[in-house]
Amino acid sequence: MAWLKHELARTRPDLRLAFSRPGLITLRSDLEGALPPTAIFARATGYSLGFADSPAAAAARTSDLEGPWRVHVFARDVDTDDDAPPIDDRPDHWRAAILEAAGARAQADPEPAPGDRVVDVILPPLGLAEPALVGWHIHDAHRPSTPGGVARVIAPADAPSRAYAKLAEALAWSQLPHAPGEVAVEIGASPGGAALALLHRDLHVIGVDPGHIAPIVLGDSRFRHLGVLAERVRSRDLPDRVDWLLLDANLAPHRAMVGLAHLLALRSRSIRGLLLTLKLNDAGVVEDLPQLLAKVTGLPGVREVRATQLPSAHQEVTVWAPRSSPHR
């Protein structure tokens, strides 16, 4: 929350803080037609319609909203170390009741296409007796169709680390167009959580890390371990074609970028995109984020850069950078 407020103070000085709770900020602007902010530390944004203490009241908040629209109901995200939050069945109940109350003004299918209007109903965390916030947004191609931006992923019991969940969320958010049989190189692979998530999607994975890799990953014939620092990898260590380059090294971001640039240079002709996790070690790194993202933008072939903070990535930012069509 503090990082989001700091970011908005820098990027959107027209916005003034209004009501806020953990995982939720509302803002006002004196500018007519002001757009919702595009912010790294905000996964879901839109226009507020007000509060509601029941599904019927939520549907009533949409009375002046042009339809038909789709309905997303989700609980607001709060920072927690709980890797297995309790099951919350409230969104399904609220959504069904809102659809019934709204009638023909709402579409039953929750899956939006770009340009669709989506009503967002944001519930408080379980156990808090607070009203829901009702709002709306226009869906676009860069916004995941999942209610709230990205659904939290629970890593399977055999995953070596929570990096499994982080990568699964990052793949959903970025909409990285991976396909079975493609090759991904991961910098910072130890102990293998993200690699396992890629193997479960039938990718071939090369893990670059001097550290330990879990047996469940090492035992998969589609995985190969390079036990060196990224900047020490040689061209002959890699296959001729690498499709995706991932980074989740336990290093300061500026330091991690050295190995990233080295590997990109080795297979620049084939790498189609970069999916990076940047560690927010201290407040200074947060201040440096614009500079870091400019560095990623300046890498050869990068055509756009998007960044966000995902549910399972606590002190980290995820960056997606697709590259212009390389030579295959």
Side-chain angles (χ1 to χ4, degrees):
M1 290 284 285
W3 293 343
L4 175 57
K5 292 176 183 178
H6 183 80
E7 180 185 8
L8 293 176
R10 184 184 73 248
T11 61
R12 291 295 302 272
D14 62 300
L15 299 177
R16 304 189 313 277
L17 186 66
F19 175 87
S20 67
R21 287 289 187 273
L24 173 68
I25 286 181
T26 63
L27 307 115
R28 295 189 178 95
S29 177
D30 294 328
L31 300 179
E32 185 175 352
L35 295 173
T38 299
I40 293 172
F41 296 105
R43 282 190 295 278
T45 61
Y47 295 101
S48 173
L49 295 172
F51 292 95
D53 57 8
S54 69
R61 285 289 185 185
T62 68
S63 59
D64 295 329
L65 199 62
E66 182 181 349
W69 31 261
R70 303 186 189 275
V71 184
H72 283 180
V73 184
F74 55 96
R76 69 180 191 246
D77 186 40
V78 293
D79 190 19
T80 174
D81 292 328
D82 186 1
D83 288 330
I87 295 174
D88 186 356
D89 58 2
R90 296 173 303 158
D92 290 339
H93 294 312
W94 274 66
R95 186 174 182 281
I98 290 170
L99 287 173
E100 183 177 0
R105 293 186 297 126
Q107 295 177 292
D109 185 356
E111 188 75 16
D116 284 354
R117 190 186 305 274
V118 180
V119 168
D120 298 300
V121 181
I122 307 171
L123 304 177
L126 277 169
L128 285 186
E130 295 179 358
L133 178 68
V134 184
W136 64 273
H137 73 272
I138 299 297
H139 187 67
D140 62 54
H142 285 325
R143 180 168 180 150
S145 58
T146 310
V150 173
R152 186 167 191 166
V153 173
I154 306 302
D158 59 354
S161 68
R162 69 181 183 90
Y164 184 105
K166 287 195 304 178
L167 184 63
E169 291 169 0
L171 292 173
W173 165 76
S174 66
Q175 302 173 60
L176 186 151
H178 60 80
E182 292 181 336
V183 178
V185 172
E186 185 197 5
I187 304 171
S190 176
L196 186 64
L198 293 168
L199 294 170
H200 282 174
R201 289 159 175 80
D202 200 21
L203 272 74
H204 293 261
V205 184
I206 299 172
V208 181
D209 199 310
H212 166 79
I213 301 294
I216 189 174
V217 176
L218 283 176
D220 193 306
S221 61
R222 297 165 299 174
F223 179 84
R224 183 155 60 92
H225 182 206
L226 297 179
V228 296
L229 296 173
E231 52 266 39
R232 298 202 171 189
V233 174
R234 299 160 297 181
S235 182
R236 68 188 186 205
D237 296 325
L238 302 175
D240 292 339
R241 192 197 86 234
V242 171
D243 299 285
W244 310 106
L245 182 55
L246 289 74
L247 168 71
D248 189 8
N250 191 23
L251 297 169
H254 288 288
R255 175 70 182 81
M257 290 285 291
V258 174
L260 177 76
H262 171 69
L263 284 182
L264 179 58
L266 293 182
R267 290 295 180 270
S268 184
R269 292 176 62 85
S270 67
I271 291 174
R272 297 162 55 199
L274 316 174
L275 190 58
L276 319 175
T277 298
L278 302 180
K279 309 295 183 182
L280 304 180
N281 307 78
D282 52 49
V285 176
V286 178
E287 290 285 345
D288 283 350
L289 268 178
Q291 180 184 352
L292 284 165
L293 295 180
K295 273 190 175 183
V296 178
T297 303
L299 291 171
V302 171
R303 66 175 190 262
E304 67 169 296
V305 169
R306 291 193 288 129
T308 193
Q309 189 181 37
L310 294 171
S312 293
H314 302 310
Q315 300 282 104
E316 299 161 333
V317 161
T318 301
V319 179
W320 164 234
R323 300 181 71 232
S324 54
S325 298
H327 301 285
R328 300 306 297 270

